[in-house]
Structure formats: C-alpha cells, structure tokens
Amino acid sequence: MTEYPMKEIFEKKYSLLVTDVLADGKVVDIFIDDTGIIAGIGEEERKKHKAEAEFIIDGDGAIALPGLVNTHTHAAMTLLRGYADDMILQDWLTQKIWPLEAHLTGNDVFLGTRLACMEMIRSGTTAFNDMYFFMEEAARAVDQSGIRAVLSYGFIDLFTEEKREKECKATENLSAYIRRMDNPRIKAAAGPHAIYTVSGEGLQWCAEFARDQKIGIHIHLSETEGEVNDCIARYGKRPGAVLDECGILTPRTIAAHCCWLDEAECTLLGNRGVHVSHNPASNMKLATNRAMPCHWLSAAGANICLGTDGCASNNNLDMFEESKIAALLQKFYWNDPTLLPAEEALRMATVNGAKALGFGTGKLMSGAAADIILVTTHSACSTPLHHASSNLVYSCNGGAVETTICDGRVLMLEREIPGEAEILECAAAAARDLVCRVQSS
Ligand SMILES: [Zn+2]
C-alpha cells in the first residue's frame, strides 16, 4: 500500500505518474498530463517526469489496461437487480419489469444510474452506451461520476402517431439538454427501442434526426426468434432489411443482441459499418436459444463489441465476467473451442467498444485519453501469469481491478471510491420505496 495524502487526488485532474505497471507484456511507467492525456508510456518515463508529476501512483506490478467499454446497458435498472429472475421473457416483462418501471421517477433513475456508474468504476469500465427513460437525470449522474457515456432515450411509439410525437419531443429534448451540458464525456444518441416497439415512421424519424444532429443510434436487434417472425409477418421481410430501408443501419449505429441474424443480414450489417453489441449473459439468462453469430459478423467486417444489458437480466455490470461468458458461449453454441479467443474478447471490451462509442482509441498509447485501469497481479486469479489475456478473461473478474482513471481523473484508487457508502444507501432506499409503491398501487 502506498501512503498518499489522499482524498485530494479524487478532486480533479492532476498530472500523474503511474509507475511499475505491466502493459503489453512490458514493465513500464505511464505519465498523464493535467489535461487528461497520456503524455508518455515506457521505461524512461519515471526519470523524465518524476519531478513534475503532482501525484505518483505505485502500480506495484499491476496489469494496466485501457478502461473497458460497455456498449449496451440500461444503467438505472440496477434498482431492479434481483427483483424478478428465472421467468419466461414475456411474463418477466409484462408481470414484473414493466409494472415496476411504470412507477419509476426521475430521482430513481438518477440514483440507479449513480449506483451503476459506481459499479462500473469498481469493475474497470470507463464508458458505456445507455438507453432508458428520464435520461436528463442519467446524464446528471454520469456527469458527477466522472466516467463517459452515450445516452439515448428509449423511443417506443407502439405504432401510434400520438405516442410518436411525444417520443420525438423526448429525443429532441435529451439531445438539446446534453448539448447544453457541454461535457465532452457525455454524448446523446437516438434510441429507437426495437423493430417491434417502433413504427417504420418512428424508425425513419430517428434515422434522420441522428443524421442531422450527427449523433449515434442505439437499437435492439433480433434478440428473439419471435420478433424476427413477427417482423416477417408485418413487413414481409427480415429485420435487417426493414431497418436498412428506414436508414437505421449506419457507421454511427450500435445494434444490441443480434442473436437471430441470418448470414445475409450479417453481411448487410458489415457493409453498412454497423457496430454490434454482444450481450451473452442476458441472452443466456432469458434463453434466447441462439448465440450472436460472431464468426459471420466478423467475416463480414462488422465491429463486434460487448455489453452487459441491464441489471435485471444479467445481474451485474462486470465486463470481465461478460468477456468470459462471451468466449464460452461462442465456443459452446457454435461447437468450436477455437472461436472467440481471449485476446479477441479483450479487444471487443476495449478497442472495439471505444470505436463504437467514438471515445478515443481504446488503447494505451501516447496522445490517447487517459482511461486506464490497473488489475492486481497479487491474487490467485493472476497467478501464475503465463498469458495476461488468459488470466484477464478466464480467471479474473471485476473484483481484481484496483485503480480506475477516466479522462485523467482518478475515480478509484486502491479500491477506494469516495462517497461509495452514500451511493449504496440511497439506491437501496429508492429501490425499497419503488417496490412499496408498486405493491400499494
Ligand atoms: Zn437492452
């Protein structure tokens, strides 16, 4: 343990020297300037910057990684963690999740998102892609937390014009709100929920709005076989073709789940430059009965990333666990142990995710944003360390993360996160209140 004149280090960005960390197989030091950029990484940084660094963090041999990127979640659903499990998807939604969500307030979303951000910081995630309601409140929580997010309002018009107008307004309001926040860590996206909840007109409106505003699109795609069949019954074609006609498939689009894509749809997504978010834990828990065809998507040149989905269907936001589950599910479902090796799973959680969200490079390199996590090498999960990527994906989980830095600011140091107890207490109280309101309604 290092003795720090602590607390102060959490307050703002400082110039930081992180010494003695393992990056790409070498022991190096990392120098971060006070604007939040990695100004140097290598064996000579200690000599060059020791005098000028405002704080020195002793890495103690930890593995340094770029912060992980969660490309599909509903952060405030942390409040629903463990509320209803082990049910059929449709029953789970209609009997448990939707009735509870009907009672959610803006303050619930603020407190739930704050809990989610804290959980992500603790498990090494520094950026996420979120879709939910009361997103202005989510934006406030992200702003306070110090991590990055792309936020979209879940646009659900249920094929009526009246509802569509409201959803357009909510999408416009969120985009304007985030523009006014003027925080480079927070971006808006359009969030047409899915093909079975949004009309063709609604999808087209979202595509045009995103293009005009130069923002991303976040959508659920082909999670279940039922929604593919319903789409064919409604439109006479598969979801990929319908979304393409509506202008939804773009290089700014992130499509979550994608379990039931056929090979031609994978080619289409690859050609359109769509980013796909694999959510294996949620898919297994809700028994979608098919794994995203990563090998077809990858052959088609699609950028494949990783996401946890919301905490009601996972039930945590640990991207280390998610990378392991992804690697295992691909091997098991497609019956080939060579599919999705550890290095590739790590790339999905870092470089590919950063590319999808447009947050930097997702690499530790000079000139990159300092989104850095340190993973201990003094634990059973990292001993011995034959291949770091193997330990990281198959042995360790988010509990092995000791320090998290985002945009050059220290958010967790040697497992300490300032204000953690209050965040936990408020979220637990809000979740209890929410359930009481549902029961007394
Ligand atoms: Zn989702």
Side-chain angles (χ1 to χ4, degrees), residues 306-327:
L306 209 53
T308 57
D309 208 351
C311 266
S313 61
N314 186 300
N315 293 3
N316 65 35
L317 301 169
D318 187 330
M319 286 288 289
F320 282 96
E321 279 188 10
E322 204 68 30
S323 68
K324 175 174 181 172
I325 295 169

Side-chain angles (χ1 to χ4, degrees), residues 234-271:
R234 183 186 290 265
Y235 294 103
K237 51 191 104 173
R238 294 181 66 88
V242 176
L243 292 186
D244 196 35
E245 279 167 22
C246 295
I248 290 287
L249 303 183
T250 78
R252 291 172 286 98
T253 304
I254 298 180
H257 298 299
C258 297
C259 306
W260 284 89
L261 295 180
D262 70 9
E263 209 166 346
E265 285 176 304
C266 291
T267 305
L268 175 65
L269 263 59
N271 288 344

Side-chain angles (χ1 to χ4, degrees), residues 276-351:
V276 287
S277 178
H278 188 22
N279 315 134
S282 171
N283 296 157
M284 289 166 74
K285 188 162 184 248
L286 292 165
T288 56
N289 197 26
R290 192 166 187 264
M292 173 199 263
C294 279
H295 51 304
W296 291 345
L297 284 159
S298 161
N303 181 42
I304 308 173
C305 4
L306 209 53
T308 57
D309 208 351
C311 266
S313 61
N314 186 300
N315 293 3
N316 65 35
L317 301 169
D318 187 330
M319 286 288 289
F320 282 96
E321 279 188 10
E322 204 68 30
S323 68
K324 175 174 181 172
I325 295 169
L328 299 190
L329 177 61
Q330 287 297 317
K331 295 172 205 313
F332 179 77
Y333 184 83
W334 299 102
N335 195 26
D336 180 351
T338 68
L339 288 178
L340 198 41
E343 298 79 28
E344 204 178 317
L346 264 187
R347 268 199 303 279
M348 282 163 62
T350 54
V351 186

Side-chain angles (χ1 to χ4, degrees), residues 168-180:
C168 295
K169 199 84 223 133
T171 302
E172 287 169 345
N173 288 347
L174 176 65
S175 176
Y177 182 88
I178 289 178
R179 217 169 277 277
R180 282 197 304 276

